[in-house]
């Protein structure tokens, strides 16, 4: 498998780096959502909590979920682009 890396073009290395960074962003976003859920649970059990407090935490929770979703879509598109580019290079060299 490591032998395939020598057939990467420079743009594919950049796309691979972007994919790795976006995967790290996805993991971070996915790990932040339970923190906000814990904050929301704490707010719900605390007397005197206003609806605005709950909405504030809920908005951030939804934003992190959407950020993770968008980053995952971009990772899927970039990884497909990388795979097709490398397979094109390999086919070109073989035939």
């Amino acid at each position: 498998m490591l032998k395939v890396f020598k057939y990467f073009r420079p743009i594919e290395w950049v796309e691979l780096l972007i994919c790795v960074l976006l995967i790290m962003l996805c993991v971070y976003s996915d790990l932040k959502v339970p923190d906000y859920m814990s904050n929301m649970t704490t707010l719900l059990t605390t007397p005197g909590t206003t609806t605005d407090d709950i909405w504030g935490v809920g908005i951030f929770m939804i934003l992190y979920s959407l950020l993770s979703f968008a980053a995952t879509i971009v990772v899927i598109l970039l990884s497909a682009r990388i795979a097709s580019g490398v397979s094109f290079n390999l086919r070109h060299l073989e035939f």
Side-chain angles (χ1 to χ4, degrees):
M1 180 63 195
L2 295 177
K3 293 178 184 180
V4 174
F5 285 131
K6 67 181 177 181
Y7 299 108
F8 275 39
R9 293 177 296 170
I11 188 69
E12 290 161 349
W13 282 107
V14 172
E15 290 172 345
L16 181 67
L17 177 66
I18 292 170
C19 279
V20 169
L21 293 174
L22 286 175
I23 288 171
M24 289 170 37
L25 178 66
C26 288
V27 170
Y28 177 77
S29 297
D30 287 341
L31 291 175
K32 286 298 284 183
V33 171
D35 290 341
Y36 283 107
M37 190 63 200
S38 173
N39 290 345
M40 186 177 291
T41 304
T42 303
L43 285 174
L44 288 172
T45 58
T46 305
T49 303
T50 63
T51 308
D52 291 335
D53 297 333
I54 296 170
W55 272 107
V57 173
I59 293 292
F60 278 111
M61 191 169 62
I62 291 171
L63 287 176
Y64 272 111
S65 297
L66 291 175
L67 179 67
S68 175
F69 176 73
T72 302
I73 295 297
V74 174
V75 166
I76 290 169
L77 293 174
L78 282 177
S79 62
R81 183 179 163 105
I82 293 168
S84 65
V86 171
S87 65
F88 174 79
N89 290 340
L90 289 174
R91 278 193 309 272
H92 183 355
L93 291 172
E94 184 66 28
F95 299 111

